[in-house]
Amino acid sequence: MRLTPSLELDEFRGQVRSFIADKSPGVKPRAGIRAPEPEQIPDLRAWTAALYDAGYLGAEWPTAYGGTGRADLERAFVVAEELARARAWEPIGAGTLAASALIEFGSEEQKARFLPRIRSAQDIWCQLFSEPGAGSDLASLSTRARQEGGEYVIDGQKVWTTNGQHADVGYLLARTDPDAPKHRGITAFALDMDTPGVDVRPLREITGTSDFNEVFLDGVRVPADRVIGEVGDGWRVANSSLGHERSGVAARGADLLRQLDDLLELAEGSRESGQPVLDDPATRRRIGRLAASVHVADLMSKAAQSRMVHGTEQAADSPLVKIFFSEANLAAAELGVALQGVDGLLVEGDPDVRADGWWQDAFLYARAYTIAGGANEVLRNVVAERALHLPREKR
């Protein structure tokens, strides 16, 4: 089933919603961006391939690789919203991010090798950017790549690598010129994750699951033809590909609205000292304040989407959407646990836990959203300096 340009957005939304209902391998059992269990991987590969095959992903790709060659942000936003609303699995891994880099900067050989395998989900990619000393300040990365003949030898450590334990290929940034200014001398690579010297170690988080990994690189040899773009131009490659990752803006608003609906349902069925919790004026005020925050975050998301569609983006758009989303999401999770009273201490697996422990897990995970993708404190500085043009503090 291919997309027909004449379809209006509301018809398209209905088409996407029906596709998800018919084809999705089920809802995500936990909140947030989570790694699946190993036994889920075959179904999720098939689901990712189905989304590409239907044209719901990769529509903007060149026609030679299955796309239309035309970006349609409005439809991309609709797909992201409907996936979030249904709590369906997104495409696993960083394949869409890597594809953006390959399409813009990759060699013809790289495109011919990797793009079809991304569309078929034969390859799951992971993003090997962050390091223990280079998170929000990514340009401070210290993983080194030195050239030896027709290969690069890479040493270093990456961390917070989502789906690293499932990945076939890594989109890696490493420093090839240690004497260059920190935003230069960085090179992007496509790394086969089964290369000798690559050691993936899952991190056990407070949720009890392992969604992230640390990746150790010890004398890893990568052929020179796996450099994406020019040597030393990795910072531009990475920023360009990250700039194409816009659909998440739409997903955030839809996710919050779904949480608000679930929260109201939870509140209607919760009791404290034998009385419905909604009889308490303080509880109603707290829900009201949260509802206002959720709708503000959703409207900010829609305003950012509109500017993206019309090419009038502002420097503050994405940072502010992320800040408002992550803080409203945290408040929703806190309230979801609080509304359960002492039952909020129950965990997944307890026969009396509400919603299979979804709110407790969401509470444990929610703080990560205020840090991942740029800590909110750093993003506030971005807004101040790049959007409001405020002066830096002199020290």
Side-chain angles (χ1 to χ4, degrees), residues 72 74 170 251 288-289:
D72 191 331
E74 288 181 299
R289 284 194 296 269

Side-chain angles (χ1 to χ4, degrees), residues 260 286-299 324 328:
L260 183 59
R286 189 173 176 186
I287 293 173
R289 284 194 296 269
L290 176 66
S293 296
V294 166
H295 283 284
V296 167
D298 180 55
L299 289 172
F324 273 72

Side-chain angles (χ1 to χ4, degrees), residues 232-249:
D233 200 28
W235 184 252
R236 185 164 71 101
V237 173
N239 275 278
S240 177
S241 57
L242 288 167
H244 286 90
E245 288 287 284
R246 296 169 165 179
S247 60
V249 171

Side-chain angles (χ1 to χ4, degrees), residues 2-345:
R2 286 287 170 184
L3 306 187
T4 305
S6 62
L7 285 175
E8 298 295 334
L9 277 182
D10 56 347
E11 295 178 283
F12 178 65
R13 185 179 296 278
Q15 183 188 76
V16 174
R17 194 170 292 182
S18 296
F19 182 86
I20 293 171
D22 292 342
K23 303 290 186 181
S24 169
V27 300
K28 294 189 296 183
R30 299 184 177 93
I33 302 170
R34 311 298 282 272
E37 298 300 325
E39 61 271 15
Q40 295 175 289
I41 294 297
D43 285 343
L44 293 177
R45 286 186 192 268
W47 169 234
T48 299
L51 287 166
Y52 274 108
D53 188 56
Y56 297 136
L57 294 178
E60 75 284 1
W61 288 23
T63 55
Y65 297 104
T68 65
R70 300 185 304 276
D72 191 331
L73 281 176
E74 288 181 299
R75 291 190 177 189
F77 291 147
V78 167
V79 173
E81 285 178 351
E82 291 305 319
L83 288 171
R85 183 173 287 111
R87 289 207 175 121
W89 286 93
E90 304 90 354
I92 54 171
T96 55
L97 182 71
S100 297
L102 291 164
I103 288 169
E104 185 170 357
F105 297 98
S107 67
E108 292 305 315
E109 292 77 12
Q110 289 173 342
K111 293 175 187 176
R113 171 179 173 79
F114 291 118
L115 293 180
R117 295 169 68 91
I118 290 174
R119 291 188 79 92
S120 67
Q122 187 173 353
D123 283 344
I124 295 173
W125 285 64
C126 64
Q127 180 181 333
L128 297 169
F129 286 14
S130 295
E131 299 182 2
S136 296
D137 184 15
L138 180 59
S140 297
L141 65 86
S142 59
T143 293
R144 300 290 180 89
R146 67 182 189 278
Q147 189 166 14
E148 290 187 1
E151 296 179 319
Y152 284 86
V153 182
I154 302 178
D155 295 282
Q157 180 186 355
K158 299 293 181 176
V159 74
W160 311 124
T161 305
T162 308
N163 288 301
Q165 70 270 53
H166 303 308
D168 305 291
V169 189
Y171 177 14
L172 169 72
L173 294 182
R175 189 167 297 284
T176 45
D177 185 353
D179 298 321
K182 72 176 187 177
H183 289 88
R184 302 176 186 175
I186 295 172
T187 300
F189 296 87
L191 168 67
D192 287 333
M193 294 298 287
D194 60 359
T195 304
V198 177
D199 182 14
V200 180
R201 303 180 189 176
L203 295 167
R204 180 69 66 176
E205 291 120 40
I206 193 173
T207 56
T209 57
S210 294
D211 304 303
F212 305 106
N213 304 265
E214 53 186 349
V215 180
F216 294 88
L217 306 158
D218 184 9
V220 177
R221 292 185 172 272
V222 180
D225 63 7
R226 292 299 182 88
V227 171
I228 303 173
E230 299 296 326
V231 173
D233 200 28
W235 184 252
R236 185 164 71 101
V237 173
N239 275 278
S240 177
S241 57
L242 288 167
H244 286 90
E245 288 287 284
R246 296 169 165 179
S247 60
V249 171
R252 285 170 173 161
D255 190 31
L256 285 175
L257 290 170
R258 169 69 189 265
Q259 284 195 57
L260 183 59
D261 287 343
D262 289 350
L263 195 65
L264 290 172
E265 182 179 339
L266 177 70
E268 288 169 354
S270 297
R271 304 179 75 84
E272 180 71 22
S273 302
Q275 299 298 316
V277 296
L278 285 177
D279 286 353
D280 176 29
T283 298
R284 292 200 300 272
R285 284 195 296 270
R286 189 173 176 186
I287 293 173
R289 284 194 296 269
L290 176 66
S293 296
V294 166
H295 283 284
V296 167
D298 180 55
L299 289 172
M300 291 184 66
S301 170
K302 286 180 168 55
Q305 291 174 54
S306 178
R307 284 194 285 269
M308 289 176 184
V309 168
H310 293 94
T312 58
E313 288 177 74
Q314 300 175 9
D317 285 345
S318 291
L320 286 177
V321 169
K322 190 267 182 178
I323 291 168
F324 273 72
F325 160 78
S326 61
E327 295 183 356
N329 177 72
L330 177 59
E334 291 174 337
L335 184 52
V337 173
L339 286 174
Q340 299 177 56
V342 294
D343 286 347
L345 297 173

